Amino acid sequence: MTASRTDLADRLAAYDRLLEVGVGHRPEVAAALADAGATVTAIDVVDATVPDGVEFVRDDVVARRDAIEGGESPPEHYRVDAVYGLNLPAELQRPVLDVARAVGADFLFTTLGFEEPVVPVERESVGRETLYVARSR
């Protein structure tokens, strides 16, 4: 794991229950959080392999936001203290924020690097990364 990812995992370890949106093929941060004792679930719209200690659920956060707005209760894997995304594209930031707010979780993310956040955030320097934080609690 890179130093930047280690720094992000250290920062996110302040939370006990986390949901990673869009885990893809890089579950290192989720694995580090699980190793540190956190309960971590990773979601993606496609199947992904995650290490022991991390639960994977195939889920679409945009569809989930729409379902929640339609009155559906969030499934158990959304009942977390923090929702986070790494290299989260702009088009997913608002839906993830809406879901995080619906479940009372903080929303933390990094962008693709060339994009600015499209939702209101506080900025934190975490190692060489900028972590964007939208607080819901």
Side-chain angles (χ1 to χ4, degrees), residues 67-125:
I68 291 170
E69 287 180 351
E72 189 176 299
S73 294
E76 187 61 33
H77 61 271
Y78 281 91
R79 305 233 180 254
V80 295
D81 305 312
V83 178
Y84 72 95
L86 305 175
N87 300 324
L88 196 67
E91 64 269 15
L92 292 181
Q93 293 170 19
R94 172 62 59 192
V96 177
L97 176 60
D98 292 344
V99 169
R101 284 184 174 159
V103 299
D106 289 345
F107 170 39
L108 306 95
F109 64 99
T110 63
T111 65
L112 293 171
F114 57 88
E115 293 182 331
E116 282 293 311
V118 297
V119 297
V121 294
E122 299 169 12
R123 288 168 167 77
E124 291 183 20
S125 292

Side-chain angles (χ1 to χ4, degrees), residues 39-56:
T39 301
V40 184
T41 301
I43 65 169
D44 209 317
V45 294
V46 297
D47 289 334
T49 302
V50 295
D52 290 342
V54 176
E55 178 186 5
F56 177 77

Side-chain angles (χ1 to χ4, degrees), residues 1-12 26 28-30 32 84 86-87 110 124-131:
M1 185 162 56
T2 67
S4 291
R5 297 290 175 163
T6 300
D7 292 337
L8 287 170
D10 289 346
R11 168 61 179 87
L12 293 169
R26 295 189 167 204
E28 300 90 4
V29 171
Y84 72 95
L86 305 175
N87 300 324
T110 63
E124 291 183 20
S125 292
V126 178
R128 296 177 60 185
E129 293 276 350
T130 299
L131 183 67

